[in-house]
Amino acid sequence: KQEVTQIPAALSVPEGENLVLNCSFTDSAIYNLQWFRQDPGKGLTSLLLIQSSQREQTSGRLNASLDKSSGRSTLYIAASQPGDSATYLCAVSYAGKSTFGDGTTLTVKP
Amino acid sequence: KAGVTQTPRYLIKTRGQQVTLSCSPISGHRSVSWYQQTPGQGLQFLFEYFSETQRNKGNFPGRFSGRQFSNSRSEMNVSTLELGDSALYLCASSLTGDLMNTEAFFGQGTRLTVV
């Protein structure tokens, strides 16, 4: 059974700092890994999708890496802003099912 | 291009009742997946529909069911509601489903409260 773990559960940083969120999964047989952002009480917004054959994806200030063999992914956020405050979830997909981590709640202080 | 639309946004039901939630995917998307999100269990996969057929199912009791129509809109039904069914129910649409190259887009969710 696939299990996804995200560390830390919560993170508070001052504005402008670079930060890394971690995601680990137990079964390396995945099709892709996706990072999402969720604001309180809202749905999920897709940030980056990394296919199993890829090593990283970039979008603006965000960079996600994937090491399938070690079961790890990181989301790097550069020059953090208060608007980045949200919960970040990673999900791995295989054979039509997605397994989500519990998320990291990020607070960026002005 | 309209996003994924879920209705209603909020719902309050009594134990024992049944409820139907609706999800309209992005135009052209044929796969709809449903998830339950609770503070204790996180996001859990319920089921996925593709071209009107249930293609994948999570580990939920038979009280949870769904269907998909020819226009790809999907409904989820929960019968004999229990207090523990209180959750945010999210649906996600994608072109072909959670396979190799597909990205999932989520709706805003339906907040169900069972009293």
Side-chain angles (χ1 to χ4, degrees):
Chain A
K1 179 189 172 187
Q2 178 74 271
E3 292 182 3
V4 179
T5 304
Q6 291 188 246
I7 294 174
L11 183 63
S12 181
V13 300
E15 183 177 4
E17 195 162 291
N18 302 325
L19 58 103
V20 174
L21 306 181
N22 297 293
C23 172
S24 61
F25 47 95
T26 55
D27 188 346
S28 62
I30 64 171
Y31 284 156
N32 61 51
L33 183 145
Q34 197 164 357
W35 282 92
F36 295 90
R37 168 190 172 134
Q38 186 175 31
D39 293 288
K42 300 289 181 64
L44 278 66
T45 300
S46 176
L47 296 173
L48 289 165
L49 170 71
I50 310 178
Q51 297 164 21
S52 61
S53 59
Q54 298 178 320
R55 299 284 292 184
E56 67 176 325
Q57 282 285 343
T58 299
S59 176
R61 295 182 294 108
L62 305 179
N63 176 277
S65 68
L66 173 63
D67 185 341
K68 208 172 72 159
S69 60
S70 67
R72 292 180 182 177
S73 176
T74 60
L75 178 66
Y76 173 83
I77 302 177
S80 59
Q81 303 170 358
D84 294 331
S85 297
T87 297
Y88 291 80
L89 298 107
C90 71
V92 294
S93 295
Y94 178 77
K97 295 184 181 181
S98 289
T99 304
F100 284 78
D102 289 336
T104 293
T105 299
L106 172 66
T107 303
V108 181
K109 297 180 179 178
Chain B
K1 188 174 181 181
V4 179
T5 304
Q6 289 188 247
T7 57
R9 290 293 311 279
Y10 303 93
L11 207 50
I12 299 176
K13 288 286 188 178
T14 304
R15 273 181 300 174
Q17 286 187 311
Q18 68 99 25
V19 67
T20 299
L21 312 181
S22 178
C23 173
S24 294
I26 292 173
S27 178
H29 284 193
R30 296 168 64 190
S31 169
V32 173
S33 298
W34 288 91
Y35 298 85
Q36 181 196 66
Q37 187 176 34
T38 58
Q41 299 296 318
L43 251 166
Q44 293 187 290
F45 172 75
L46 281 156
F47 30 64
E48 184 233 352
Y49 285 87
F50 180 81
S51 294
E52 303 178 64
T53 301
Q54 187 181 87
R55 195 160 63 169
N56 290 288
K57 191 176 187 303
N59 298 319
F60 278 80
R63 299 186 297 108
F64 293 81
S65 63
R67 59 177 176 170
Q68 186 179 33
F69 302 95
S70 58
N71 61 357
S72 293
R73 189 178 72 86
S74 177
E75 288 182 347
M76 189 192 94
N77 186 77
V78 188
S79 62
T80 320
L81 283 166
E82 300 176 359
L83 294 178
D85 297 333
S86 295
L88 180 66
Y89 289 88
L90 295 164
C91 84
S93 81
S94 60
L95 272 172
T96 58
D98 266 344
L99 300 176
M100 291 287 291
N101 303 311
T102 56
E103 185 174 2
F105 297 86
F106 280 77
Q108 292 295 298
T110 293
R111 171 74 63 185
L112 171 65
T113 302
V114 182
V115 298

